[in-house]
Amino acid sequence: MEKNETKINIKAFLEIVKRRRWAFIVPAVAVFSIAVAIALILPSVYRSTASILIEEQDVPREYVTETVTSYAESRLQTITQRIMSAARLMEIINRFNLYAEDRKRLPIEEIINNMREDDIKFAPITANVISPRTGRSGAATIAFTVSYEGKDPAVVQQVANVLASLYLEENIKVVGQQTENTTKFLEDEMRAVQNELSEIDRKIAWYKQSHNVALPELYQYNLQTLDRTETDIDRLKDQLQALREKETYLRGQLTGASISISQDEARLKELREKLAALQAQYSDAYPDVVNIKKEIATLEKRVKGSSKGEAQKPDNPAYLNMAAELAATQSNIKSVNEQISDLVNKKDSYRRRLEKSPNVEEGYKSLQMVRDNVRAKYDDLARKFMEARVAGGLEKGQLGERFTLINPAMFPEKPVKPPRLTIILLGFILAIGAGVGTAALQEVSDHSARSSEDITQTFQFPVLAEIPQIAAPGEEQQRRRRFRRAAIAIIIAFIILILAVHFFIMDLDVLWARMVRRLNLLGII
């Protein structure tokens, strides 16, 4: 039962195909013809590509450091923005007379924007490398390609080479400008820091002059001088004590000493001594003793009378010696007092210096710290300035990081657009879909009864008999001629398709090689 139903379904399907063959063939051929026409009519677009390598500097970085510290990616973005500017692209358009037809109907801004976004292609080439600056492994741009697309292959090649040369020229210009700007910036900064350093030196000189006795380097000297001064004061005080004791002693001696010794006093002294000697041998009645007593009495009266007269001048040698010694002692006391006073003033002065020294030291250290920082900054700028000058020579000699053209733009022999094979294959699929859809639509919308089953389902009456189709004379030959013509048309269309692929898309040998390689990859052959 199932086999009979399957045979009936296949037979019905074949009858539908036979009945609707022209509803399938006509839309399919029309759609496929339109697809082939589109593939052949669309203008060919060619692409020419130039490859540029980003080379590292030749001199090791530990010997010479570049002043260009930006990464290649950021520098490439900067160069790309410059090249893609409206002025640069307009120069290229005018130079090669590009978009002649479009310039007649479109504004120049739209043309430049279309050229920038659609026709010029920039593609970086990255690889995992170890950065010489950071020492870390990561993706970095080692090269890049710049392409141009257009309808004239010769012009496309020329424009691509011009774009590549612009990248090379702009890189040299950007690197040189960065090196020059860096050197000028460092020179200006170094000059400003040098002026700042001179100003700080002037402040330090004024500060030292204003606090020349309390500077930090004089602290030990002031402290030692203060100690010596205190020692000298103690020594002079001891000396003063001794002098005052001596003065007191001399004053006591001078109080009991005679100021002057005359001839009567000398004779009186002599007679008294002689009287003492005679009285030791003789009595008071002895004539010499009596005479000496009389003479002593006379001299005593005369000495007393002379002492009541005018003041006597010192002429006693002992008195004079003690008086002179007392005067010298008093002079020494005065001198020692003066010295002590001077030393006390000196002590106070040095004590004030020591008291001021911490504040002075703090201010001096603050100025010195500022000077050290500015000096370190100046030394660092001077070192970087010299490195910048050396790096400038490195860039001028093309020994630094640079762009090198490794693959110039070649003459494009095959177009990259439009994808004619894809359009034709897509048209073939659409053609089949259009044919099947048209045939199915006609079959669904046609309610004619074509079998006894259709009549039974429609009218609910039994079918008594079926009359088979009676072929008229010549119909079979006419059918065969139509079949032959259709077969010939299909063969011609297939040949035209093959020729179109060969001449407009790719050589048949290349197509066959690609198909074989793809089948090998899929494991089919």
Side-chain angles (χ1 to χ4, degrees), residues 475-485:
E475 286 186 358
E476 183 66 22
Q477 294 181 355
Q478 186 178 3
R479 185 183 63 80
R480 290 179 179 179
R481 284 196 298 270
R482 287 198 302 268
F483 180 77
R484 284 196 296 270
R485 286 197 296 270

Side-chain angles (χ1 to χ4, degrees), residues 185-453:
F185 170 76
L186 290 174
E187 186 177 5
D188 295 340
E189 285 294 311
M190 189 171 62
R191 187 179 295 110
V193 173
Q194 188 176 15
N195 295 333
E196 184 179 357
L197 185 63
S198 300
E199 181 65 24
I200 293 176
D201 286 337
R202 284 194 294 270
K203 289 182 179 179
I204 291 176
W206 175 85
Y207 191 84
K208 292 175 71 174
Q209 184 178 2
S210 301
H211 306 84
N212 58 346
V213 295
L215 294 175
E217 55 265 25
L218 297 178
Y219 182 81
Q220 290 297 328
Y221 171 77
N222 291 335
L223 185 60
Q224 293 174 1
T225 303
L226 180 61
D227 292 339
R228 287 197 302 269
T229 302
E230 291 178 347
T231 302
D232 292 340
I233 291 175
D234 294 338
R235 178 180 55 79
L236 288 175
K237 285 183 178 180
D238 294 339
Q239 184 179 353
L240 180 63
Q241 182 66 25
L243 289 174
R244 285 178 176 173
E245 291 177 356
K246 184 178 180 180
E247 180 188 17
T248 303
Y249 171 75
L250 291 175
R251 286 182 181 275
Q253 290 294 324
L254 285 176
T255 302
S258 298
I259 298 177
S260 175
I261 301 177
S262 61
Q263 293 181 356
D264 291 339
E265 290 179 346
R267 178 63 180 167
L268 182 60
K269 183 177 181 181
E270 182 182 356
L271 290 175
R272 287 176 178 171
E273 291 176 354
K274 190 176 180 179
L275 176 62
L278 289 174
Q279 285 180 345
Q281 295 179 1
Y282 306 102
S283 64
D284 293 336
Y286 188 73
D288 292 335
V289 174
V290 174
N291 293 331
I292 289 174
K293 287 183 176 181
K294 291 181 180 180
E295 187 175 359
I296 287 172
T298 304
L299 289 174
E300 288 178 349
K301 291 180 179 180
R302 189 162 52 193
V303 169
K304 291 180 180 180
S306 62
S307 61
K308 293 180 180 179
E310 57 184 11
Q312 296 179 353
K313 294 182 179 179
D315 56 3
N316 187 353
Y319 183 87
L320 292 175
N321 289 334
M322 286 188 291
E325 189 175 357
L326 178 59
T329 302
Q330 292 175 341
S331 177
N332 289 335
I333 290 173
K334 181 179 180 181
S335 175
V336 170
N337 283 325
E338 291 177 354
Q339 292 181 26
I340 291 174
S341 178
D342 293 340
L343 289 176
V344 169
N345 293 332
K346 182 178 180 181
K347 175 184 175 181
D348 294 339
S349 175
Y350 277 93
R351 181 177 286 111
R352 286 193 297 271
R353 293 182 186 182
L354 292 174
E355 291 175 353
K356 291 170 56 179
S357 183
N359 295 331
V360 174
E361 182 179 7
E362 183 178 355
Y364 182 75
K365 284 184 178 179
S366 178
L367 289 174
Q368 192 65 33
M369 185 181 299
V370 173
R371 187 190 185 282
D372 292 341
N373 292 335
V374 175
R375 181 66 189 183
K377 183 178 179 181
Y378 176 80
D379 294 339
D380 184 59
L381 287 173
R383 177 181 58 80
K384 291 181 179 179
F385 176 71
M386 295 304 298
E387 291 178 355
R389 296 188 64 178
V390 175
L394 187 72
E395 300 298 342
K396 289 181 180 178
Q398 291 294 303
L399 299 177
E401 188 178 76
R402 59 196 179 276
F403 291 172
T404 301
L405 182 64
I406 54 175
N407 289 323
M410 304 298 293
F411 183 85
E413 297 181 356
K414 295 293 181 180
V416 294
K417 293 179 183 179
R420 290 189 171 89
L421 181 60
T422 302
I423 294 174
I424 292 174
L425 292 177
L426 183 61
F428 180 74
I429 295 173
L430 293 176
I432 293 176
V436 171
T438 303
L441 182 62
Q442 286 186 1
E443 183 65 24
V444 171
S445 59
D446 189 0
H447 300 289
S448 302
R450 301 184 183 279
S451 63
S452 57
E453 290 81 2

Side-chain angles (χ1 to χ4, degrees), residues 9-23:
N9 291 333
I10 294 175
K11 183 178 179 182
F13 176 75
L14 293 176
E15 289 179 356
I16 292 173
V17 170
K18 182 178 179 181
R19 187 169 57 251
R20 303 299 179 184
R21 62 182 179 274
W22 293 110

Side-chain angles (χ1 to χ4, degrees), residues 76-183:
L76 276 175
Q77 293 297 328
T78 302
I79 295 174
T80 300
Q81 293 301 322
R82 291 188 178 187
I83 294 176
M84 297 300 174
S85 63
R88 287 291 183 87
L89 295 182
M90 195 63 203
E91 290 179 3
I92 297 175
I93 291 173
N94 293 331
R95 178 179 176 181
F96 296 100
N97 194 24
L98 303 177
Y99 314 107
E101 297 297 329
D102 293 340
R103 280 189 285 176
K104 295 178 181 179
R105 57 186 181 85
L106 295 176
I108 193 64
E109 293 83 3
E110 184 176 351
I111 294 174
I112 292 175
N113 188 55
N114 293 335
M115 180 182 182
R116 185 187 295 121
E117 295 181 357
D118 300 333
D119 297 340
I120 299 177
K121 305 295 181 182
F122 172 83
I125 301 174
T126 60
N128 288 326
V129 297
I130 297 177
S131 175
R133 297 172 182 169
T134 62
R136 298 179 180 177
S137 176
T141 301
I142 60 172
F144 63 93
T145 60
V146 57
S147 307
Y148 179 72
E149 297 178 357
K151 298 178 182 179
D152 190 343
V155 174
V156 167
Q157 179 191 14
Q158 294 176 5
V159 173
N161 282 323
V162 168
L163 291 172
S165 64
L166 286 178
Y167 271 93
L168 299 178
E169 294 172 2
E170 283 297 324
N171 180 64
I172 295 174
K173 186 183 298 184
V174 168
V175 170
Q177 186 176 1
Q178 289 183 354
T179 302
E180 183 180 355
N181 292 339
T182 301
T183 304

